[in-house]
Amino acid sequence: MNTYARQPVAFVRGEGVWLWDEAGKKYLDALAGIAVNTLGYGHPKLTAALNQRINSGIIHTSNLWRIPDQEAAADRVAEITGLSEVFFGNSGLEATEASIKVARKYGHDRGIAEPAIIVMEKAFHGRSLATLSATGSRKVQAGFEPLVQGFVRVPLNDLDAVRQVAEHNKNVVAVLIEPIQGEGGINVSRLEYLRGLYEICQKHEWLFISDEVQCGMGRTGKWFVYQHAGFQPDVVALAKGLASGVPVGACVTGGRAKGVFKPGNHGSTFGGNPLAMTALRVTVDTVKEEKLMERAVKVGELIRAELKNHNLPGVKEIRGMGSMIGIELERPCGELVLQGLNAGLVFNVTADNVIRLLPPLVMNEAEAREVVARLAPVVKSFVDKRVAA
Ligand SMILES: Cc1ncc(COP(=O)(O)O)c(C=O)c1O
């Protein structure tokens, strides 16, 4: 189906942060399959564990039975999130969809017949009907109306807007937020804003739902952005980098959301299968063992600082946290992706004019310098050409 505007390249081999295409050309990867390949390509620990799992003959059983790999993975997720229950699916939208269902069920359990969830402008939560309705982008929603009801939208980083909703809408049961908006253009929530939002949730007994599908898993220097702000949400949605490329989504609950889902409330045939759970366990353990969160901070700071040193023309702002980086240009710059590929660098452009860098967490400082060495001339010639034209 014609759902993707694809670039004319196919990667057929990978090692560390490097990729090779069909013609043997080598590329430096600063995107990690959009924050998915946490451990880069061909990580020996991941490859060995997956091979072992496959060689055992079992990659799927069923959630009808106990799944020891799932139990081990759930322990890891509980440990890194600080929450206590986890439901495994296969993608980000399944994680956010489950979170929305938890919020609605929480409302119904409290006698609210039409529960509402506060969501943010420019947020992205997925492409199922409920998650696209929660998403703050008309482009994502257009053509799929009628939208799912029960979402109230406010601007990011604006506590007064949330307080006003609280005053007028007694059906609100939860806030759903991407603490750093990825698809929306690397828009970072202020930490004091997150703390204020959490306090409002506490006051009104709303669930705080953190969609960390893109910004989570150590990329910002802590496992999750809410840990920078110093509180525990009730629900966390995870996917992308959680299993380094094997599809996994997770809806994690604790606090007020603990025990909301009962047997029969939710399910997924493939969710939590032994293969995916093996990848999750190894990803978490390797991020810890190899101190990849510390590395993500160093690499991210280095890239941002070196880019700033270049004083590139046409750049409005360089922002982000750790290895989640947005470079906002003054005008739309989608064509830069192909120019980057020509220069042997993989990145993408989001929100029309934001170059997005989400390197694998195994990137080292020399490779980070090389990202800047390849990216800066591409941006410069793009802007120079526009000025000349
Ligand atoms: C913050 C966030 N939530 C949810 C999703 C949906 O994830 P998936 O594409 O795996 O369904 C994405 C995907 O980009 C995302 O960035």
Side-chain angles (χ1 to χ4, degrees):
M1 213 178 271
N2 187 22
T3 57
Y4 300 103
R6 296 183 201 271
Q7 298 293 334
V9 63
F11 300 116
V12 293
R13 189 164 79 81
E15 200 182 306
V17 296
W18 300 94
L19 288 164
W20 285 261
D21 71 11
E22 290 164 306
K25 180 175 168 179
K26 189 176 174 187
Y27 300 79
L28 178 54
D29 179 23
L31 190 64
I34 319 185
V36 170
N37 299 311
T38 305
L39 304 182
Y41 302 91
H43 195 290
K45 288 180 189 160
L46 183 61
T47 305
L50 289 177
N51 276 333
Q52 198 183 10
R53 171 44 59 221
I54 289 166
N55 290 337
S56 77
I58 287 184
I59 56 175
H60 175 82
T61 56
S62 165
N63 283 306
L64 292 173
W65 330 117
R66 272 192 54 225
I67 303 175
D69 286 307
Q70 193 181 111
E71 292 165 6
D75 286 344
R76 302 299 195 283
V77 172
E79 184 200 320
I80 65 176
T81 57
L83 305 187
S84 51
E85 304 177 320
V86 53
F87 175 86
F88 289 112
N90 312 280
S91 63
L93 83 78
E94 283 174 80
T96 48
E97 179 91 20
S99 306
I100 291 165
K101 281 182 69 175
V102 168
R104 285 194 168 190
K105 178 75 167 40
Y106 171 77
H108 282 276
D109 290 349
R110 291 156 53 89
I112 297 173
E114 299 209 354
I117 301 172
I118 294 181
V119 291
M120 303 295 152
E121 288 171 8
K122 297 188 183 168
F124 183 83
H125 298 295
R127 290 175 182 274
S128 66
L129 283 172
T131 59
L132 75 80
S133 301
T135 288
S137 157
R138 276 304 296 151
K139 222 164 144 182
V140 171
Q141 295 171 339
F144 301 106
E145 297 85 356
L147 299 180
V148 171
Q149 298 299 296
F151 297 105
V152 183
R153 205 171 309 285
V154 296
L156 188 71
N157 281 326
D158 181 349
L159 284 179
D160 278 341
V162 178
R163 288 192 193 104
Q164 273 181 26
V165 176
E167 211 172 293
H168 298 111
N169 189 335
K170 299 302 165 201
N171 285 334
V172 174
V173 294
V175 172
L176 167 59
I177 181 170
E178 264 183 284
I180 303 177
Q181 295 179 336
E183 303 306 303
I186 315 294
N187 306 316
V188 183
S189 302
R190 285 184 275 104
L191 294 182
E192 61 271 30
Y193 166 76
L194 290 176
R195 284 190 281 266
L197 199 53
Y198 177 72
E199 273 167 29
I200 296 174
C201 286
Q202 291 293 93
K203 180 172 164 201
H204 297 280
E205 299 187 356
W206 298 342
L207 302 183
F208 189 110
I209 307 173
S210 198
D211 177 351
E212 305 238 2
V213 165
Q214 192 164 146
C215 60
M217 286 309 288
R219 179 162 292 285
T220 63
K222 291 194 188 282
W223 286 108
F224 304 107
V225 177
Y226 62 80
Q227 291 165 343
H228 291 281
F231 61 84
Q232 289 288 97
D234 302 287
V235 184
V236 180
L238 304 177
K240 287 196 183 278
L242 189 52
S244 251
V246 180
V248 185
C251 170
V252 196
T253 57
R256 289 194 179 86
K258 187 170 177 208
V260 167
F261 269 2
K262 304 276 189 301
N265 282 150
H266 204 50
S268 163
T269 296
F270 291 119
N273 72 70
L275 185 75
M277 296 296 99
T278 299
L280 191 164
R281 175 174 48 74
V282 174
T283 301
V284 170
D285 291 351
T286 307
V287 168
K288 266 199 246 170
E289 285 158 16
E290 300 187 1
K291 300 197 181 342
L292 298 184
M293 290 192 266
E294 291 85 332
R295 197 188 268 222
V297 172
K298 272 198 194 140
V299 158
E301 281 173 359
L302 192 154
I303 291 177
R304 279 198 297 273
E306 293 228 342
L307 278 171
K308 281 179 186 159
N309 283 344
H310 273 80
N311 237 332
L312 290 165
V315 171
K316 225 166 129 183
E317 191 183 20
I318 298 173
R319 55 180 179 254
M321 197 174 187
S323 281
M324 185 164 190
I325 301 168
I327 304 148
E328 182 176 347
L329 299 201
E330 278 160 3
R331 53 177 76 89
C333 59
E335 66 206 74
L336 272 178
V337 174
L338 185 55
Q339 290 165 20
L341 290 172
N342 291 337
L345 182 67
V346 181
F347 61 85
N348 92 333
V349 167
T350 190
D352 294 332
N353 64 338
V354 181
I355 297 169
R356 176 168 48 171
L357 305 180
L358 300 161
L361 302 196
V362 292
M363 182 171 277
N364 65 33
E365 291 181 40
E367 290 158 341
R369 281 199 186 85
E370 187 59 28
V371 169
V372 178
R374 293 183 187 204
L375 181 59
V378 169
V379 174
K380 189 165 183 314
S381 85
F382 169 77
V383 175
D384 286 350
K385 250 188 252 153
R386 286 297 176 95
V387 171

